[in-house]
């Protein structure tokens, strides 16, 4: 039974059992409505506890139903029936009460939660606003600014924060269900959230500031603005009117392109490693070695430490080791200050450092993050071959180089794999898992499990120059250079990309990341004869002048305390290169920029797919959204190009 009723004394315990996350599907909604009817007329029942089986309270509406015609009963009606019940309902919350799940809990008359429970209204992340009363009931329980950050920011809060804010009434100290039943026994009458006055804003200026900050951050994502408007209506309008308007906004957004795109990414992210052929038993991993304490290595070490692994960081000498150790400790410290690491000492206790590879003798997995040079990486792997256990997995964090060549130096290449992290590695969600020809299946399974343990989204990629993401990025970067030759300016290209929804444009991105890395790559590819077609020298000329971007104060733009400014020098170099290439027209229609950038992206993505480097178009979308700033609400380049073709 999806919804069952049991009796504990004079309390009915209504349990939802709808794995995996107790989504409020049609069967759940119908079952709940029946439970309201049954408990209302049962003479031996005085109160009701609403609980969930399995790992969580209701984690929201069933997102899979959003592409189907709506089927009654609708969630707002179910919640209204619970709220109107004559007997008190107590929500017993464990795991995550999200979206429709939290709305259901707010329709109950009292809420008690497990100390580890989290609660939120993440509908904006799916291109929606809450559609079952969330924007009307939450401001009747908590202060307005908190309601705004939860609804328009989509941020869940802890049980402790929920108790302090007034969202829940109690935190269980032992058995959640037992304490919920005990609480239900003490209640005389329902306490209906909708009958509360709105709590209002403690600090109206802070509310306005948060709202305008969220609108700025939205960058074209419609649901965020709609959520702010809905909260403002929830605060201002009579409850029933605000409920009707919220529902209308929810239904309009549900069928919007942005919501469809966000659902596409939601499910695509969860399917990247679903291939059953990789479900071999993973090798156990507790001890991880990281070679290289630069930005990337230190980030990887921090990411592993923060997720409970024992880490040994290796550097070539004491000075570099001290610098790498400082980087790791700095990251851990700032994470602890933000409340992300409750026990910093325990994390530091799992951190060791050494200059001798012998310290890796008992490592289960070693990730190298040394200088991006094939010979250097091969040497590192040869040294690792000598000191590590024969079953230890050896991973390279290269972002472009040939993982087959690196694996080839091992006596057993089946234990080599690519783990391409994105910087900052302790924050960025994407992990490209690069599969060399000889890799063992249980090594792939181990990498897949590791990515989950690190809280990352792992995507499998074949070996090629740049794997899925960097290869596509190189293609649209080259197109951006062609746009300059055809008359566009860097500011024009960057502004068009920002307007489309990228956090920054391709030239701004290069200035942030440093132009030197791509320069080294281009030199290598030129030497290998891998660059075809007319070669545009603008970026090379900037690098030859030491203009490597923000870190040198100049790149595509001039950088100072005032921020990035267009550079006359760069414009004169562009003009010269235009002449070299026989193009003289220094103007370009802005509306042609994005179709050209997107066209280059999707052409390369199609090639990556056709060559079997990516396993699916969905994986490409996940990579570009999570690693390269492609606007999530456009669903990634493959979905966007399909939508443009329709
Ligand atoms: C909403 O509620 C609208 C209302 O306001 C109004 C209604 C009228 N539906 O993430 P996981 C599946 S909007 C369907 O790997 P975790 C997921 O696809 C909704 N399926 O687990 C996966 O399936 P599979 C607001 C869902 O432990 C499996 O469950 N709610 C849903 O890492 C496990 O998922 C949200 O936005 C769903 N709602 O994390 C919450 N949720 O195994 C969305 C999950 O076949 N969910 N699945 O690949 C989450 O944030 C996480 O899933 C959660 C668990 C934190 C709950």
């Amino acid at each position: 039974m999806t919804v069952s009723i049991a009796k504990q004394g004079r309390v009915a315990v209504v349990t939802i059992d709808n794995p995996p996350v107790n989504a409020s599907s049609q069967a759940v909604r119908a079952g709940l409505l029946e439970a309201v009817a049954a408990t209302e007329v049962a003479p031996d029942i005085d109160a009701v506890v609403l609980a969930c089986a399995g790992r969580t309270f209701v984690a929201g509406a069933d997102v899979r139903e959003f592409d189907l015609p709506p089927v009654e009963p609708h969630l707002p009606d179910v919640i209204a029936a619970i709220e109107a019940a004559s007997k008190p309902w107590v929500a017993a919350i464990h795991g995550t009460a999200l979206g429709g799940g939290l709305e259901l809990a707010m329709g109950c008359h009292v809420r008690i939660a497990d100390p580890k429970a989290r609660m939120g209204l993440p509908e904006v992340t799916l291109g929606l606003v809450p559609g079952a009363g969330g924007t009307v009931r939450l401001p009747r329980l908590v202060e307005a600014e908190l309601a705004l950050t939860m609804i328009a920011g989509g941020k869940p809060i802890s049980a402790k924060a929920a108790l302090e804010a007034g969202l829940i009434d109690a935190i269980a100290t032992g058995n959640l269900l037992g304490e919920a039943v005990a609480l239900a026994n003490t209640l005389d009458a329902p306490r209906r959230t909708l009958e509360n006055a709105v709590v209002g804003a403690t600090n109206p200026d802070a509310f306005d500031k948060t709202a305008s900050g969220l609108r700025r951050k939205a960058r074209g994502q419609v649901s965020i603005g709609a959520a702010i408007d809905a909260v403002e209506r929830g605060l201002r309008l009579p409850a029933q009117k605000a409920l009707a308007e919220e529902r209308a906004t929810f239904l309009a957004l549900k069928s919007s392109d942005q919501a469809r795109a966000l659902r596409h990414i939601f499910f695509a992210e969860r399917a990247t490693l679903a291939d059953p052929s990789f479900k071999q038993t993973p090798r156990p991993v507790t001890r991880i070695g990281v070679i290289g304490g630069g930005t990337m290595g230190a980030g990887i070490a921090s990411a592993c430490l923060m997720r409970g692994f024992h880490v040994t960081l290796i550097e070539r000498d004491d000075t570099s080791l001290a610098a790498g150790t400082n980087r790791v400790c700095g990251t851990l410290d700032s994470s602890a200050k933000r409340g992300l690491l409750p026990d910093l000492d325990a994390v530091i206790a799992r951190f060791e450092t050494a200059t001798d590879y012998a310290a890796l003798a008992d490592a289960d997995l070693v990730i190298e993050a040394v200088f991006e040079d094939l010979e250097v990486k091969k040497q590192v792997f040869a040294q690792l071959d000598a000191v590590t256990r024969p079953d230890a997995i050896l991973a390279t964090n290269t972002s472009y180089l040939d993982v087959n060549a690196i694996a080839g130096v091992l006596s057993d290449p089946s234990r080599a794999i690519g783990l391409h992290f994105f910087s900052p590695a302790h924050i960025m969600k994407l992990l490209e898992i690069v599969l060399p020809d000889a890799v063992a299946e249980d090594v792939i399974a181990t990498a897949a499990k590791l990515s989950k343990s690190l809280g990352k989204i792992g995507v499998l990629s074949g070996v090629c120059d740049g794997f899925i993401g960097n290869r596509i990025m190189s293609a649209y970067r080259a197109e951006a250079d062609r746009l300059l030759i055809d008359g566009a300016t860097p500011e024009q290209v960057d502004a068009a990309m920002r307007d489309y929804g990228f956090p920054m444009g391709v030239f701004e991105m290069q200035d942030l990341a440093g132009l030197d890395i791509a320069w080294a790559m281009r030199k290598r590819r030129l030497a290998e004869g891998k660059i075809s077609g007319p070669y545009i020298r603008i970026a090379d000329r900037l690098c030859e002048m030491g203009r490597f971007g923000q870190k040198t104060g100049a790149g595509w733009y001039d950088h100072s305390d005032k921020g990035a400014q267009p550079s006359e020098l760069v414009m004169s170099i562009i003009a010269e290169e235009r002449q070299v290439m026989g193009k003289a027209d220094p103007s370009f229609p802005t509306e042609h920029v994005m179709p050209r950038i997107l066209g280059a992206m999707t052409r390369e993505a199609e090639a990556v797919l056709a060559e079997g480097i990516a396993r699916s178009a969905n994986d490409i979308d996940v990579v570009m959204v999570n690693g390269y700033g492609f606007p999530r609400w456009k669903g990634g380049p493959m979905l966007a190009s399909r939508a443009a073709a329709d």
Side-chain angles (χ1 to χ4, degrees):
M1 283 282 278
T2 319
V3 178
S4 58
I5 309 180
K7 261 187 75 189
Q8 289 202 20
R10 296 190 62 82
V11 174
V13 177
V14 174
T15 305
I16 300 172
D17 187 1
N18 186 26
V21 296
N22 289 315
S24 61
S25 61
Q26 197 275 338
V28 169
R29 299 192 303 269
L32 284 175
L33 217 45
E34 280 168 26
V36 176
T39 51
E40 281 295 273
V41 297
D44 52 348
I45 293 297
D46 295 335
V48 183
V49 167
L50 175 63
C52 286
R55 66 197 220 216
T56 180
F57 194 77
V58 175
D62 188 337
V63 180
R64 289 183 202 278
E65 286 184 357
F66 287 177
D67 289 313
L68 307 170
V71 185
E72 292 186 332
H74 303 304
L75 191 59
D77 302 329
V78 175
I79 293 173
I82 291 175
E83 192 168 44
S86 63
K87 298 174 184 177
W89 278 59
V90 177
I93 302 169
H94 76 293
T96 43
L98 297 175
L102 181 56
E103 291 174 304
L104 196 53
M106 290 193 290
C108 292
H109 309 117
V110 171
R111 287 155 291 282
I112 178 170
D114 180 83
K116 291 206 188 98
R118 294 183 68 74
M119 281 142 260
L121 293 169
E123 284 87 342
V124 276
T125 63
L126 289 167
L128 304 167
V129 299
T135 65
V136 187
R137 288 192 180 87
L138 189 61
R140 284 173 165 72
L141 290 168
V142 309
E143 196 273 335
E145 195 193 345
L146 177 63
L148 181 69
T149 48
M150 286 179 73
I151 293 168
K155 292 228 168 68
I157 59 171
S158 65
K160 186 164 167 271
L163 182 66
E164 281 163 11
L167 175 55
I168 59 173
D169 304 276
I171 292 182
T173 50
N175 180 291
L176 172 66
L177 189 59
E179 291 179 37
V181 170
L183 187 56
N185 272 318
T186 67
L187 302 172
D188 298 328
R191 222 180 47 199
R192 300 186 179 96
T193 307
L194 273 193
E195 289 171 4
N196 293 351
V198 293
V199 179
T202 314
N203 179 346
D205 288 345
F207 180 92
D208 291 343
K209 212 167 145 211
T210 303
S212 46
L214 285 163
R215 280 192 207 277
R216 235 188 350 266
K217 262 178 50 190
R219 297 200 317 264
Q221 186 179 337
V222 172
S223 59
I224 296 177
I228 298 169
D229 294 345
V231 174
E232 286 173 347
R233 283 196 304 267
L235 290 164
R236 189 170 35 85
L237 295 180
Q240 289 308 326
K241 184 144 185 19
L243 281 176
E245 297 223 2
E246 177 204 79
R247 184 76 183 155
T249 309
F250 169 81
L251 290 174
L253 288 176
K254 187 164 75 106
S255 52
S256 68
D257 289 345
Q258 290 200 358
R260 276 186 223 282
L262 287 161
R263 289 202 283 279
H264 159 77
I265 285 293
F266 177 86
F267 288 114
E269 284 177 347
R270 282 160 177 80
T272 56
L273 298 173
D275 190 329
S277 62
F278 300 121
K279 293 272 158 70
Q280 293 236 348
T281 307
R283 298 184 191 180
V285 174
T286 53
R287 306 182 80 83
I288 296 180
V290 177
I291 316 278
T295 308
M296 208 61 214
I300 295 170
S302 308
C304 297
L305 283 163
M306 287 162 78
R307 290 295 180 135
F309 292 97
H310 188 290
V311 172
T312 304
L313 179 71
I314 304 279
E315 258 293 1
R316 57 174 178 265
D317 55 43
D318 289 338
T319 314
S320 311
L321 191 59
T325 306
N326 278 342
R327 279 187 199 103
V328 173
C329 291
T331 302
L332 296 178
D333 265 346
S334 63
S335 301
K337 284 198 186 101
R338 283 188 294 138
L340 301 175
L341 287 182
D343 192 351
L344 181 60
D345 290 342
V347 177
I348 301 267
R350 286 187 269 102
F351 183 36
E352 285 176 34
T353 61
T355 51
D356 187 347
Y357 278 45
L360 300 177
D362 62 351
D364 304 305
L365 163 73
V366 181
I367 306 168
E368 74 72 22
V370 299
F371 189 63
E372 191 74 354
D373 177 290
L374 187 60
E375 290 315 311
V376 176
K377 290 195 187 271
K378 279 168 142 180
Q379 271 170 30
V380 168
F381 259 51
Q383 276 176 277
L384 290 173
D385 204 25
V387 299
T388 53
R389 285 197 329 257
D391 63 331
I393 296 173
L394 303 182
T396 170
N397 175 55
T398 179
S399 34
Y400 286 98
L401 299 173
D402 182 352
V403 182
N404 280 320
I406 299 170
V409 304
L410 300 179
S411 40
D412 171 15
S414 76
R415 63 182 178 127
I417 196 160
L419 291 179
H420 180 210
F421 288 83
F422 289 72
S423 188
H426 65 293
I427 291 176
M428 292 289 280
K429 283 257 170 200
L430 182 64
L431 178 66
E432 277 182 316
I433 300 172
V434 186
L435 309 181
D437 297 343
V439 64
E441 295 226 329
D442 65 338
V443 170
I444 306 173
T446 312
K449 179 159 182 232
L450 177 80
S451 90
K452 195 141 184 121
S453 311
L454 294 178
K456 309 243 174 259
I457 301 165
V459 177
L460 303 174
S461 170
V463 176
C464 70
D465 207 337
F467 321 128
I468 299 174
N470 277 339
R471 195 165 134 185
I472 295 171
M473 187 179 68
S474 296
Y476 71 80
R477 241 190 214 171
E479 186 64 22
D481 286 0
R482 284 192 284 277
L483 283 167
L484 299 183
I485 295 296
D486 289 346
T489 64
E491 306 90 88
Q492 197 183 8
V493 174
D494 285 343
M497 289 184 76
R498 269 187 270 108
D499 277 356
Y500 187 78
F502 281 84
M504 63 184 84
V506 61
F507 296 110
E508 291 163 328
M509 184 67 216
Q510 289 177 59
D511 271 11
L512 183 70
L515 274 67
D516 42 339
I517 303 163
W519 187 33
M521 186 207 45
R522 282 195 304 277
K523 283 194 273 194
R524 172 177 61 75
R525 296 180 77 206
L526 271 175
E528 290 169 357
K530 284 189 182 159
I531 296 186
S532 56
Y535 185 73
I536 297 171
R537 287 205 69 250
I538 307 170
D540 287 4
R541 286 184 61 185
L542 300 184
C543 290
E544 283 157 13
M545 299 165 80
R547 296 182 69 105
F548 292 150
Q550 283 185 21
K551 62 185 170 189
T552 56
W556 288 100
Y557 297 91
D558 291 332
H559 296 275
S560 68
D561 297 347
K562 289 189 224 115
Q565 301 293 331
S567 156
E568 282 181 19
L569 179 64
V570 172
M571 287 313 296
S572 67
I573 292 173
I574 294 172
E576 284 169 23
E577 292 301 318
R578 271 182 200 144
Q579 280 201 327
V580 170
M581 308 206 86
K583 302 252 181 167
D585 184 11
S587 74
F588 192 83
T590 298
E591 62 273 22
H592 291 183
V593 171
M594 274 325 286
R596 292 258 309 253
I597 295 279
L598 293 174
M601 227 180 243
T602 43
R603 273 193 306 280
E604 194 66 18
E606 294 289 358
V608 157
L609 194 56
E611 290 165 31
I613 301 298
R615 273 156 203 273
S616 70
N618 286 1
D619 279 4
I620 293 175
D621 284 343
V622 171
V623 166
M624 298 316 288
V625 162
N626 287 286
Y628 297 84
F630 197 98
R632 178 172 279 265
W633 56 97
K634 299 233 159 97
M638 299 306 255
L639 188 77
S641 91
R642 228 172 36 227
D646 282 351

